[in-house]
Amino acid sequence: MSMRLSAQRAPRGTSAAGLRKWALIFLTAGVIGQGLIQNRLLNMDVISANELLEHMQADPAVMTLVTIALVCKVMETCAVPLFSFLLVEGFLRTRSFEKYLIRVGAVALISELPYNLAMGSGIIDLSSRNPALSLLIALLMLYFFNRISEKCFKNTAMKALIFLAAVLWCGMLRIDHGVCVVVMVCFLWYVREKGNVRAVFGFLGSMVCTMFNMYYIASGLACIMLHRYDEERGEQNALFNYAFYPALLLIVGILGIFLV
């Protein structure tokens, strides 16, 4: 009896659906923090650091909002390792790369205008792009990585050039979190067949990302979840997964209009 109960109470791992759920929570916090709190309530996108400091000293409520915004920004970085890992898993498990590419590309393109609206930049803004575009670039990077399977110096150099091209594209297009997504996907692709060290490499990728964005110092905590991944897909709704991000941006954008 005791052996049966202990077997029933054995801890279970986390499925891809579970990882995605946490990734969406972190993503939601980030969008709300930047779109509503930073850029709408605090106007951090237009005021200087000195002006913000003066507001914080004059009004304790501003200090509270700044703290919440910083926490949300840190939470947003925790979504990057999870989405990067799910992208690698999706690439490895998809039955049709072309259809997968179209779905990711559609989300990236559809999200662009809502992203501008959510960030308070109006409908058209050329100063930055939505992070979903970096997933599209990273997916193309994986495609070319996969085409170069044989290990030799020439192929390793080609992969390095492909990685560099992906990083440069993210930089030239000014994709928010773009470089960090490409870096994280590259780290997790390298250990795609070594599940026991994926969390370690995810953490290392997070540390590399801190060179581009200091808020990634906490993103390594999300990599702990990768260690509990049980290789199962879990119950998922494909329409919800792909529609969530543009819908979230649209909702935050509309709410932001009423906060101006």
Side-chain angles (χ1 to χ4, degrees):
M1 177 66 71
S2 61
M3 293 180 61
R4 183 179 303 174
L5 289 175
S6 62
Q8 292 175 348
R9 294 174 183 174
R12 298 177 61 184
T14 304
S15 66
L19 294 178
R20 186 177 295 277
K21 183 185 299 183
W22 278 106
L24 294 178
I25 292 173
F26 293 141
L27 177 65
T28 301
V31 172
I32 292 175
Q34 184 174 356
L36 294 183
I37 301 177
Q38 287 184 220
N39 296 346
R40 298 290 189 173
L41 294 178
L42 297 174
N43 294 318
M44 290 176 64
D45 57 332
V46 294
I47 66 175
S48 65
N50 290 333
E51 289 175 320
L52 179 62
L53 183 59
E54 291 177 359
H55 292 325
M56 292 169 62
Q57 294 173 340
D59 188 354
V62 175
M63 173 69 81
T64 301
L65 287 175
V66 169
T67 302
I68 296 174
L70 290 177
V71 171
C72 289
K73 199 167 188 66
V74 169
M75 291 180 66
E76 183 180 31
T77 65
C78 292
V80 171
L82 300 181
F83 278 120
S84 299
F85 175 72
L86 291 170
L87 184 77
V88 173
E89 282 291 288
F91 175 78
L92 293 173
R93 296 172 181 266
T94 185
R95 297 178 179 178
S96 172
F97 170 77
E98 291 77 12
K99 292 181 179 179
Y100 189 40
L101 181 67
I102 291 173
R103 291 195 295 268
V104 174
V107 173
L109 295 177
I110 293 173
S111 299
E112 185 59 24
L113 296 183
Y115 176 78
N116 296 335
L117 183 64
M119 297 300 110
S121 307
I123 298 297
I124 304 297
D125 179 25
L126 301 180
S127 64
S128 64
R129 304 290 188 278
N130 78 87
L133 283 169
S134 62
L135 292 176
L136 177 62
I137 292 175
L139 185 58
L140 290 171
M141 178 183 71
L142 294 183
Y143 171 78
F144 289 111
F145 278 1
N146 196 52
R147 294 290 297 270
I148 308 172
S149 56
E150 184 179 352
K151 295 182 180 180
C152 64
F153 177 79
K154 178 181 177 181
N155 289 345
T156 300
M158 289 181 63
K159 289 183 179 180
L161 289 176
I162 293 170
F163 168 75
L164 181 60
V167 169
L168 291 177
W169 271 108
C170 289
M172 288 188 297
L173 294 176
R174 299 178 181 178
I175 301 174
D176 197 13
H177 296 284
V179 173
C180 293
V181 168
V182 170
V183 169
M184 191 64 66
V185 168
C186 190
F187 267 81
L188 293 173
W189 169 259
Y190 182 75
V191 292
R192 61 192 181 278
E193 298 177 354
K194 304 173 184 177
N196 57 324
V197 295
R198 64 166 64 101
V200 175
F201 273 72
F203 179 81
L204 292 176
S206 296
M207 295 303 98
V208 172
C209 289
T210 59
M211 295 189 296
F212 306 100
N213 187 332
M214 66 176 184
Y215 292 104
Y216 275 84
I217 192 68
S219 64
L221 296 175
C223 297
I224 297 174
M225 300 180 187
L226 302 182
H227 181 67
R228 288 185 48 78
Y229 179 56
D230 59 8
E231 310 292 338
E232 297 293 332
R233 184 176 185 274
E235 295 184 7
Q236 300 191 45
N237 184 306
L239 179 60
F240 175 83
N241 290 343
Y242 288 105
F244 182 88
Y245 185 54
L248 172 64
L249 293 172
L250 185 59
I251 293 171
V252 170
I254 293 173
L255 290 176
I257 294 175
F258 294 99
L259 294 179
V260 176

